[in-house]
Amino acid sequence: MFGKQPKDSQPSDLPELPDVRRTNLELSELEDIELMDKPEVVQPEVVTIIEKLSGILSPYFIVIVGLFLYQDNFAIGGVLILIGLLTLFKISRKDITEFVANLRNMLNSGK
């Protein structure tokens, strides 16, 4: 009743699909055409303003949540505070690596 029927008893009403394979060159040409045909997305002014506000307020929110969690979980709270402060002061990974390299050079030059 619920078992599979043998394959011989199923009619094959579906037509066979042609083998459509594209080369890398054809695919890259299609991607270039698709990229050229797409119009530029214009964001409404409200969306732009909200993006700017969220960029300003999110580091403060991260620091506040970190301060709240600091008492219960020192590690997570400390990490959130650190991330929030780095974001507030706009310190990037590049700035941190340059600082560490300068610190190493300063400590090695004293020898």
Side-chain angles (χ1 to χ4, degrees):
M1 182 173 159
F2 294 108
K4 292 184 179 180
Q5 295 178 354
K7 291 186 178 184
D8 296 336
S9 65
Q10 294 178 348
S12 61
D13 294 335
L14 300 174
E16 286 191 27
L17 298 174
D19 187 20
V20 182
R21 294 183 184 162
R22 301 190 186 275
T23 63
N24 289 337
L25 180 61
E26 291 173 348
L27 289 175
S28 65
E29 288 173 0
L30 287 174
E31 289 173 357
D32 291 340
I33 292 170
E34 288 176 3
L35 289 176
M36 284 190 261
D37 293 341
K38 292 183 181 178
E40 291 186 25
V41 177
V42 178
Q43 293 181 343
E45 186 178 344
V46 175
V47 174
T48 309
I49 292 171
I50 290 175
E51 283 180 351
K52 288 180 182 178
L53 282 175
S54 68
I56 294 169
L57 294 177
S58 64
Y60 292 104
F61 180 74
I62 292 172
V63 170
I64 290 171
V65 170
L67 289 171
F68 180 74
L69 292 176
Y70 189 75
Q71 292 176 353
D72 295 332
N73 193 338
F74 174 76
I76 294 175
V79 167
L80 287 176
I81 292 170
L82 181 65
I83 289 172
L85 289 176
L86 291 175
T87 308
L88 276 172
F89 294 125
K90 298 190 187 296
I91 298 173
S92 66
R93 248 188 251 161
K94 182 181 175 184
D95 296 331
I96 294 171
T97 55
E98 287 177 4
F99 175 74
V100 170
N102 289 337
L103 186 64
R104 284 182 183 169
N105 289 337
M106 186 177 68
L107 293 175
N108 287 336
S109 67
K111 288 184 176 181

Coordinates of all heavy atoms in Angstrom, one line a residue, residues 3-55:
G3 N 4.3 1.1 0.0 CA 5.6 0.8 -0.5 C 5.9 1.5 -1.9 O 5.0 2.0 -2.5
K4 N 7.1 1.4 -2.3 CA 7.5 2.0 -3.6 C 7.0 1.1 -4.7 O 7.0 -0.1 -4.6 CB 9.0 2.2 -3.7 CG 9.5 3.2 -2.8 CD 11.0 3.4 -3.0 CE 11.6 4.4 -2.1 NZ 13.0 4.6 -2.4
Q5 N 6.5 1.7 -5.8 CA 6.1 0.9 -7.0 C 7.4 0.7 -7.8 O 8.3 1.5 -7.8 CB 5.1 1.7 -7.8 CG 3.8 1.9 -7.1 CD 2.9 2.8 -7.9 OE1 3.2 3.2 -9.0 NE2 1.7 2.9 -7.4
P6 N 7.4 -0.4 -8.5 CA 8.5 -0.7 -9.4 C 8.6 0.4 -10.4 O 7.7 1.0 -10.9 CB 8.3 -2.1 -10.0 CG 7.0 -2.6 -9.3 CD 6.4 -1.5 -8.5
K7 N 9.9 0.6 -10.9 CA 10.1 1.7 -11.9 C 9.5 1.4 -13.2 O 9.1 2.3 -14.0 CB 11.6 1.9 -12.1 CG 12.3 2.5 -10.9 CD 13.7 2.9 -11.2 CE 14.3 3.5 -10.0 NZ 15.7 4.0 -10.2
D8 N 9.3 0.1 -13.5 CA 8.7 -0.3 -14.8 C 7.3 0.2 -14.9 O 6.8 0.5 -16.0 CB 8.8 -1.8 -15.0 CG 10.2 -2.2 -15.1 OD1 11.1 -1.4 -15.5 OD2 10.5 -3.4 -14.8
S9 N 6.5 0.2 -13.8 CA 5.1 0.6 -13.9 C 4.9 2.1 -13.9 O 3.7 2.5 -14.2 CB 4.4 0.0 -12.6 OG 4.9 0.6 -11.5
Q10 N 5.9 2.9 -13.7 CA 5.7 4.4 -13.8 C 5.9 4.8 -15.2 O 6.9 4.6 -15.9 CB 6.7 5.1 -12.9 CG 6.5 4.8 -11.4 CD 7.5 5.6 -10.6 OE1 8.5 6.1 -11.1 NE2 7.3 5.6 -9.3
P11 N 4.9 5.6 -15.7 CA 5.0 6.1 -17.1 C 6.0 7.3 -17.1 O 6.0 8.1 -16.1 CB 3.6 6.5 -17.5 CG 2.9 6.8 -16.2 CD 3.6 5.9 -15.2
S12 N 6.7 7.4 -18.1 CA 7.7 8.6 -18.2 C 7.1 9.6 -19.2 O 7.3 9.6 -20.4 CB 9.0 8.1 -18.7 OG 8.9 7.5 -20.0
D13 N 6.2 10.5 -18.6 CA 5.6 11.5 -19.4 C 6.5 12.8 -19.5 O 6.2 13.6 -20.3 CB 4.2 11.9 -18.7 CG 3.2 10.8 -18.8 OD1 3.4 9.9 -19.7 OD2 2.3 10.8 -18.0
L14 N 7.5 12.8 -18.6 CA 8.4 14.0 -18.6 C 9.3 14.0 -19.8 O 10.0 12.9 -20.0 CB 9.1 14.1 -17.3 CG 8.3 14.2 -16.1 CD1 9.2 14.2 -14.8 CD2 7.5 15.5 -16.1
P15 N 9.5 15.0 -20.5 CA 10.5 15.0 -21.6 C 11.9 15.2 -21.0 O 12.1 15.7 -19.9 CB 10.1 16.3 -22.4 CG 9.5 17.2 -21.4 CD 8.7 16.3 -20.5
E16 N 12.8 14.6 -21.8 CA 14.2 14.7 -21.3 C 14.7 16.2 -21.5 O 14.5 16.8 -22.6 CB 15.1 13.8 -22.1 CG 14.9 12.3 -21.7 CD 16.0 11.4 -22.2 OE1 17.1 11.9 -22.5 OE2 15.7 10.3 -22.4
L17 N 15.4 16.7 -20.5 CA 15.9 18.0 -20.6 C 17.3 18.0 -21.3 O 18.1 17.1 -21.1 CB 16.1 18.6 -19.2 CG 14.8 18.8 -18.4 CD1 15.1 19.2 -17.0 CD2 13.8 19.7 -19.1
P18 N 17.5 19.0 -22.1 CA 18.8 19.0 -22.8 C 19.9 19.3 -21.8 O 19.7 20.0 -20.7 CB 18.7 20.2 -23.8 CG 17.6 21.0 -23.3 CD 16.7 20.1 -22.5
D19 N 21.1 18.8 -22.1 CA 22.3 19.1 -21.2 C 22.8 20.5 -21.4 O 23.3 20.8 -22.5 CB 23.3 18.0 -21.5 CG 24.5 18.1 -20.5 OD1 24.3 18.7 -19.4 OD2 25.6 17.6 -20.8
V20 N 22.6 21.3 -20.5 CA 23.0 22.7 -20.6 C 24.2 22.9 -19.7 O 24.0 23.1 -18.5 CB 21.8 23.7 -20.2 CG1 22.2 25.1 -20.4 CG2 20.6 23.4 -21.0
R21 N 25.3 23.0 -20.3 CA 26.5 23.3 -19.5 C 27.2 24.5 -20.2 O 27.3 24.6 -21.4 CB 27.5 22.1 -19.6 CG 26.9 20.9 -18.9 CD 27.9 19.7 -18.8 NE 27.2 18.6 -18.2 CZ 27.7 17.4 -18.3 NH1 28.7 17.1 -19.1 NH2 27.0 16.4 -17.7
R22 N 27.7 25.4 -19.3 CA 28.3 26.6 -19.8 C 29.8 26.6 -19.4 O 30.1 26.0 -18.4 CB 27.6 27.8 -19.2 CG 26.2 27.9 -19.6 CD 25.6 29.2 -19.2 NE 24.2 29.3 -19.4 CZ 23.6 29.6 -20.5 NH1 24.3 29.9 -21.6 NH2 22.3 29.7 -20.6
T23 N 30.6 27.2 -20.2 CA 32.0 27.3 -19.9 C 32.2 28.5 -19.0 O 31.3 29.3 -18.8 CB 32.8 27.5 -21.1 OG1 32.5 28.7 -21.7 CG2 32.7 26.4 -22.1
N24 N 33.3 28.6 -18.4 CA 33.6 29.7 -17.5 C 33.5 31.0 -18.2 O 33.1 32.1 -17.7 CB 35.0 29.6 -16.8 CG 35.0 28.5 -15.8 OD1 34.0 28.1 -15.3 ND2 36.2 27.9 -15.6
L25 N 34.0 31.1 -19.5 CA 33.9 32.3 -20.3 C 32.5 32.7 -20.5 O 32.2 33.9 -20.3 CB 34.6 32.1 -21.6 CG 34.6 33.2 -22.6 CD1 35.4 34.4 -21.9 CD2 35.2 32.9 -23.9
E26 N 31.6 31.8 -20.8 CA 30.2 32.2 -21.0 C 29.6 32.7 -19.7 O 28.8 33.6 -19.7 CB 29.4 31.0 -21.5 CG 29.8 30.5 -22.9 CD 29.1 29.3 -23.3 OE1 28.5 28.6 -22.4 OE2 29.1 28.9 -24.5
L27 N 29.9 32.0 -18.6 CA 29.4 32.5 -17.3 C 29.9 33.9 -16.9 O 29.1 34.7 -16.4 CB 29.7 31.5 -16.2 CG 29.0 30.2 -16.2 CD1 29.5 29.2 -15.2 CD2 27.5 30.4 -16.1
S28 N 31.1 34.2 -17.2 CA 31.7 35.5 -16.8 C 31.0 36.5 -17.7 O 30.8 37.7 -17.3 CB 33.2 35.5 -16.9 OG 33.6 35.3 -18.3
E29 N 30.8 36.2 -19.0 CA 30.1 37.2 -19.9 C 28.7 37.5 -19.4 O 28.3 38.6 -19.4 CB 30.1 36.6 -21.3 CG 31.4 36.6 -22.0 CD 31.4 35.9 -23.3 OE1 30.3 35.4 -23.7 OE2 32.4 35.8 -24.0
L30 N 28.0 36.4 -18.9 CA 26.7 36.6 -18.4 C 26.7 37.5 -17.2 O 25.8 38.3 -17.0 CB 26.0 35.3 -18.1 CG 25.6 34.4 -19.3 CD1 25.1 33.1 -18.8 CD2 24.5 35.2 -20.1
E31 N 27.6 37.2 -16.3 CA 27.7 38.0 -15.1 C 28.0 39.5 -15.4 O 27.4 40.4 -14.8 CB 28.8 37.5 -14.1 CG 28.4 36.2 -13.5 CD 29.6 35.5 -12.7 OE1 30.7 36.1 -12.7 OE2 29.4 34.5 -12.1
D32 N 28.9 39.8 -16.4 CA 29.2 41.1 -16.8 C 27.9 41.8 -17.3 O 27.7 43.0 -17.0 CB 30.3 41.2 -17.8 CG 31.7 40.8 -17.2 OD1 31.8 40.9 -15.9 OD2 32.6 40.4 -18.0
I33 N 27.2 41.1 -18.1 CA 26.0 41.7 -18.7 C 25.0 42.0 -17.6 O 24.3 43.0 -17.6 CB 25.4 40.7 -19.8 CG1 26.3 40.6 -21.0 CG2 24.0 41.2 -20.2 CD1 26.0 39.6 -22.0
E34 N 24.8 41.0 -16.7 CA 23.8 41.2 -15.6 C 24.2 42.4 -14.7 O 23.4 43.2 -14.3 CB 23.7 40.0 -14.7 CG 23.0 38.8 -15.4 CD 23.0 37.6 -14.6 OE1 23.5 37.6 -13.5 OE2 22.5 36.6 -15.1
L35 N 25.5 42.6 -14.5 CA 26.0 43.7 -13.6 C 25.8 45.0 -14.3 O 25.4 46.0 -13.7 CB 27.5 43.5 -13.3 CG 27.8 42.4 -12.3 CD1 29.3 42.3 -12.1 CD2 27.1 42.6 -10.9
M36 N 25.9 45.1 -15.6 CA 25.8 46.3 -16.4 C 24.3 46.7 -16.5 O 24.0 47.9 -16.5 CB 26.4 46.2 -17.8 CG 27.9 46.3 -17.8 SD 28.5 46.4 -19.4 CE 28.9 44.7 -19.8
D37 N 23.4 45.7 -16.5 CA 22.0 46.0 -16.7 C 21.3 46.5 -15.5 O 20.2 47.1 -15.5 CB 21.3 44.8 -17.3 CG 21.7 44.5 -18.7 OD1 22.3 45.4 -19.4 OD2 21.5 43.3 -19.2
K38 N 21.8 46.2 -14.3 CA 21.2 46.5 -13.0 C 21.3 48.0 -12.8 O 22.3 48.6 -12.8 CB 21.8 45.8 -11.9 CG 21.5 44.3 -11.9 CD 22.1 43.6 -10.7 CE 21.9 42.1 -10.8 NZ 22.4 41.4 -9.7
P39 N 20.1 48.7 -12.5 CA 20.2 50.1 -12.1 C 20.7 50.3 -10.7 O 20.6 49.4 -9.9 CB 18.7 50.5 -12.2 CG 17.9 49.3 -12.0 CD 18.8 48.2 -12.5
E40 N 21.3 51.4 -10.5 CA 21.8 51.7 -9.1 C 20.6 51.8 -8.2 O 19.6 52.4 -8.5 CB 22.6 53.0 -9.1 CG 23.9 52.8 -9.9 CD 24.8 54.1 -9.7 OE1 24.6 54.8 -8.7 OE2 25.6 54.3 -10.6
V41 N 20.8 51.3 -7.0 CA 19.8 51.3 -6.0 C 19.9 52.7 -5.2 O 20.9 53.0 -4.7 CB 19.9 50.2 -5.0 CG1 18.9 50.3 -3.9 CG2 19.8 48.8 -5.7
V42 N 18.8 53.4 -5.3 CA 18.8 54.7 -4.6 C 18.1 54.5 -3.3 O 16.9 54.1 -3.2 CB 18.1 55.8 -5.5 CG1 18.0 57.1 -4.8 CG2 18.8 55.9 -6.8
Q43 N 18.8 54.8 -2.2 CA 18.2 54.7 -0.9 C 17.4 55.9 -0.5 O 17.9 57.0 -0.8 CB 19.2 54.4 0.2 CG 19.9 53.1 0.0 CD 20.9 52.9 1.1 OE1 21.3 53.8 1.8 NE2 21.4 51.7 1.3
P44 N 16.2 55.8 0.1 CA 15.5 56.9 0.5 C 16.3 57.7 1.6 O 17.1 57.1 2.3 CB 14.2 56.4 1.1 CG 14.1 55.0 0.6 CD 15.5 54.5 0.3
E45 N 15.9 58.9 1.8 CA 16.6 59.8 2.8 C 16.4 59.2 4.2 O 17.4 59.3 5.0 CB 16.1 61.2 2.7 CG 16.8 62.2 3.6 CD 16.3 63.6 3.4 OE1 15.6 63.9 2.4 OE2 16.6 64.4 4.3
V46 N 15.3 58.7 4.5 CA 15.0 58.1 5.8 C 16.0 57.0 6.1 O 16.5 56.9 7.3 CB 13.5 57.7 5.9 CG1 13.3 57.0 7.2 CG2 12.6 58.8 5.7
V47 N 16.2 56.1 5.2 CA 17.1 55.0 5.4 C 18.5 55.5 5.7 O 19.2 55.0 6.6 CB 17.1 54.0 4.2 CG1 18.1 53.0 4.3 CG2 15.7 53.4 4.0
T48 N 19.0 56.5 4.9 CA 20.3 57.0 5.1 C 20.4 57.6 6.5 O 21.4 57.4 7.2 CB 20.6 58.1 4.1 OG1 20.3 57.6 2.8 CG2 22.0 58.5 4.1
I49 N 19.4 58.4 7.0 CA 19.4 59.0 8.3 C 19.5 57.9 9.4 O 20.2 58.0 10.4 CB 18.3 59.9 8.5 CG1 18.4 61.1 7.6 CG2 18.1 60.4 9.9 CD1 17.2 62.0 7.5
I50 N 18.6 56.9 9.2 CA 18.6 55.8 10.2 C 19.9 55.0 10.3 O 20.4 54.7 11.4 CB 17.4 54.8 10.0 CG1 16.1 55.6 10.2 CG2 17.5 53.6 10.8 CD1 14.9 54.8 9.9
E51 N 20.6 54.8 9.1 CA 21.9 54.2 9.1 C 22.9 55.0 9.9 O 23.7 54.5 10.7 CB 22.4 53.9 7.7 CG 21.7 52.8 7.0 CD 22.2 52.6 5.6 OE1 22.9 53.5 5.1 OE2 21.9 51.6 5.0
K52 N 22.9 56.3 9.7 CA 23.8 57.2 10.4 C 23.5 57.2 11.9 O 24.5 57.1 12.7 CB 23.7 58.6 9.9 CG 24.3 58.8 8.5 CD 24.2 60.2 8.0 CE 24.7 60.3 6.6 NZ 24.6 61.7 6.1
L53 N 22.3 57.2 12.3 CA 21.9 57.2 13.7 C 22.3 55.9 14.4 O 22.8 55.9 15.5 CB 20.4 57.5 13.9 CG 20.0 58.9 13.8 CD1 18.5 59.0 13.9 CD2 20.6 59.8 14.8
S54 N 22.1 54.8 13.7 CA 22.5 53.5 14.3 C 24.0 53.4 14.4 O 24.5 52.7 15.3 CB 21.9 52.4 13.5 OG 22.5 52.3 12.2
G55 N 24.7 53.9 13.4 CA 26.2 53.9 13.5 C 26.7 54.7 14.7 O 27.7 54.4 15.3

